[in-house]
Amino acid sequence: MKKISKSVGKGGKNASEDVKVIQELLNGFAQMGGYAKLKVDGVSGKKTIAAINAFQIKVMGGKADGRVDPGKNTIKALNVKPAAAKKEADVKKKEEATAKKAGGDKKPAANAKNLSGKAWFSANQSKYPNSNAISDLDGSFKSKVTDFQKALKAAGVSIKVSSTLRNEKRAAIMHWAFKVAKGKTKPKDVPKIAGVDINFDHGDDKVSIAKAKEMVGPNGFNIKYQPSLTSLHISGKAIDWTLGWSGDLTIKNKKGEDVVIKSSPKDGTNTELHVVGKTYGVIKLVKDKPHWSINGK
Amino acid sequence: MENNATFTAGAFVCAMAVILPASVLAQDMSGIGYADLSQGVADIRYAQDRAQEGPVSGLMVFIDPDDGTVQIAPIPVDDVLNPALSGLVGFAIDGGYAALNVSDTGVDVDVDGDGSFVSLGTCLTSEGVRLSVSSPEDTLIWSEVRSLPYDTEATCTD
């Protein structure tokens, strides 16, 4: 086990030899941690501290303080090669062996950074977030929802928005990961996703499928059903929200007329409220409790 | 084929007919609901009253809308969801079910022990999973769409 004599990183003593030890150890986890390998120069700068932070969050799965103290958890973790890291190394070895067998100098199907799997998910999925902001909706639908929302608020309806615009790239990553995981699409046949650096082809279908399963599993997107490439949410023309009120509801329709709703249920499934929503161009999909859209689908 | 079955913790796949013995009899749809494990927790409700928590003990039945594969797991559900179940949406059936028949053609349940089975079905809308219960005459008795946190490729035909 490699040791340090004093603390390294944010607020640490940062003795040069200690910093070099940490930089070398961190470099062994660069792929898993999603950071670039460090120059082993014994200087604890921004990149070293950022790498410690990334290691503590992504590899250790804990909170980051940007510091490594002698004998504490981070130095212990840096000295342990986790199963996941070993698995990555095994995959790489296998790819290299496959390439060698196939033609000597044939390169693996992709560089390590963009290969699909748990490490890719951890490092990249947050780049493609979904939204629950009405401001992210598509232009004309946004104004319709905004007007309807104003009327709902003025009437005292409680509103909780759970989904508006779903990220097109995220949807595509999920779609293809699921297809590969289920064996429905050959990894080599996955088309390039514009603006996303990911390769589902590990050079061995079994490995590719295992890696895709990591991405769709509970520690990844946690998807059990085939995600779609297109939808009204993906085009910003749908909203999922939970609405509720008590007593009678008096709400203005688009014409500014008061509509009194006495009926139940006093939530987004109320058909009288659907009529009001329609005047604003926000149309209920009746079979789906929270879903309203530009065309009711 | 008749077979007494004991359901243990965790999920398993069943593709053959299983007839379970009657115990406490439930009545009509009051014994059926949904089990939504798509949001990281187990949300189990009765079909007839969304506000009412579902069976304290019983079974969850998950039918894959793609290939019809059936997974069955017990209620209550562990606090930490079984990874094989996390993300699924299916039916909750009261522990008082009279008989559950899982076959290649589908899943049928006789909740009130009168010998009449209702059929359970699952398909995907563009928003999530639609659960449906139909009578022996193929009349829709109940359906519910459980939204997922992602859009799905629709398989429902209507």
Side-chain angles (χ1 to χ4, degrees):
Chain A
M1 176 170 164
K2 292 186 178 178
K3 293 181 178 178
I4 52 174
S5 59
K6 289 174 181 165
S7 56
V8 170
K10 190 177 178 183
K13 297 290 182 187
N14 292 311
S16 179
E17 287 309 307
D18 287 339
V19 175
K20 283 181 182 175
V21 168
I22 295 303
Q23 287 171 328
E24 281 180 3
L25 289 170
L26 284 168
N27 283 345
F29 291 89
Q31 186 187 341
M32 282 186 71
Y35 50 82
K37 283 193 175 182
L38 302 165
K39 185 179 175 185
V40 182
D41 58 5
V43 178
S44 178
K46 283 182 182 175
K47 288 181 181 174
T48 300
I49 292 171
I52 294 170
N53 279 328
F55 176 83
Q56 289 172 324
I57 293 170
K58 293 177 181 171
V59 179
M60 294 177 69
K63 289 181 180 175
D65 62 5
R67 198 164 105 174
V68 186
D69 291 311
K72 296 290 177 70
N73 287 342
T74 304
I75 185 69
K76 286 177 186 172
L78 279 164
N79 274 283
V80 175
K81 198 165 190 177
K86 187 177 179 303
K87 208 170 175 182
E88 288 291 333
D90 290 345
V91 169
K92 197 176 175 186
K93 272 184 191 174
K94 199 167 181 181
E95 285 171 353
E96 286 168 356
T98 305
K100 198 173 179 182
K101 198 176 174 183
D105 60 352
K106 187 179 173 188
K107 301 283 184 192
N111 67 66
K113 266 189 176 180
N114 72 357
L115 282 172
S116 59
K118 187 180 170 187
W120 190 97
F121 176 86
S122 300
N124 296 287
Q125 67 87 20
S126 62
K127 295 176 186 171
Y128 312 104
N130 289 326
S131 171
N132 62 358
I134 289 172
S135 57
D136 285 333
L137 288 169
D138 183 61
S140 66
F141 187 60
K142 176 168 64 181
S143 62
K144 294 172 198 282
V145 172
T146 302
D147 289 347
F148 186 31
Q149 183 199 33
K150 277 181 189 170
L152 289 165
K153 276 186 176 176
V157 175
S158 68
I159 302 169
K160 186 184 173 190
V161 181
S162 53
S163 178
T164 55
L165 179 67
R166 286 182 178 153
N167 191 297
E168 186 178 17
K169 294 183 176 73
R170 186 181 189 86
I173 297 161
M174 293 167 78
H175 175 91
W176 292 112
F178 196 81
K179 288 260 187 191
V180 172
K182 287 281 185 181
K184 291 187 170 180
T185 298
K186 290 273 186 191
K188 67 180 175 56
D189 294 334
V190 176
K192 182 169 173 50
I193 303 170
V196 180
D197 187 18
I198 186 168
N199 191 323
F200 288 95
D201 187 2
H202 289 245
D204 176 320
D205 282 359
K206 282 185 181 173
V207 176
S208 300
I209 289 170
K211 289 294 173 184
K213 283 182 176 174
E214 286 179 4
M215 292 184 64
V216 303
N219 295 319
F221 290 115
N222 195 26
I223 45 181
K224 288 287 197 292
Y225 306 100
Q226 179 61 58
S228 176
L229 284 171
T230 58
S231 75
L232 288 173
H233 273 296
I234 292 168
S235 58
K237 291 170 181 163
I239 181 169
D240 288 352
W241 52 8
T242 303
L243 310 174
W245 64 91
S246 56
D248 294 345
L249 180 70
T250 303
I251 183 169
K252 289 193 185 301
N253 64 18
K254 179 69 176 173
K255 289 181 180 173
E257 300 162 341
D258 279 340
V259 177
V260 181
I261 300 176
K262 296 175 182 285
S263 58
S264 292
K266 300 183 186 302
D267 60 28
T269 63
N270 187 297
T271 53
E272 290 187 81
L273 185 67
H274 300 174
V275 175
V276 176
K278 195 173 181 180
T279 67
Y280 288 91
V282 183
I283 303 171
K284 186 74 186 79
L285 173 61
V286 177
K287 289 176 179 171
D288 188 347
K289 192 175 181 183
H291 186 81
W292 301 64
S293 70
I294 198 159
N295 60 8
K297 292 182 180 173
Chain B
M1 172 182 177
E2 273 200 2
N3 186 17
N4 290 346
T6 302
F7 294 98
T8 54
F12 64 91
V13 177
C14 182
M16 56 194 297
V18 179
I19 305 294
L20 299 170
S23 51
V24 181
L25 300 183
Q27 291 179 353
D28 304 318
M29 284 296 294
S30 61
I32 299 180
Y34 67 78
D36 185 344
L37 312 187
S38 68
Q39 309 292 332
V41 294
D43 181 13
I44 298 176
R45 307 273 165 177
Y46 279 114
Q48 293 183 325
D49 184 358
R50 280 192 179 124
Q52 190 189 354
E53 287 190 9
V56 176
S57 64
L59 293 177
M60 295 183 290
V61 179
F62 304 98
I63 307 168
D64 191 313
D66 185 33
D67 60 13
T69 305
V70 178
Q71 290 188 80
I72 299 175
I75 300 171
V77 183
D78 294 337
D79 290 339
V80 178
L81 293 180
N82 181 331
L85 302 177
S86 179
L88 288 171
V89 175
F91 296 89
I93 300 173
D94 195 294
Y97 55 81
L100 180 69
N101 191 349
V102 182
S103 69
D104 289 341
T105 56
V107 180
D108 302 311
V109 60
D110 174 8
V111 182
D112 56 8
D114 65 357
S116 175
F117 283 75
V118 291
S119 299
L120 310 183
T122 304
C123 64
L124 293 181
T125 70
S126 60
E127 279 280 303
V129 181
R130 185 192 297 168
L131 306 169
S132 57
V133 177
S134 304
S135 72
E137 296 77 30
D138 210 22
T139 303
L140 184 66
I141 299 171
W142 171 78
S143 80
E144 164 104 6
V145 174
R146 301 301 304 165
S147 294
L148 296 167
Y150 51 96
D151 294 303
T152 42
E153 286 189 349
T155 63
C156 299
T157 52
D158 59 340

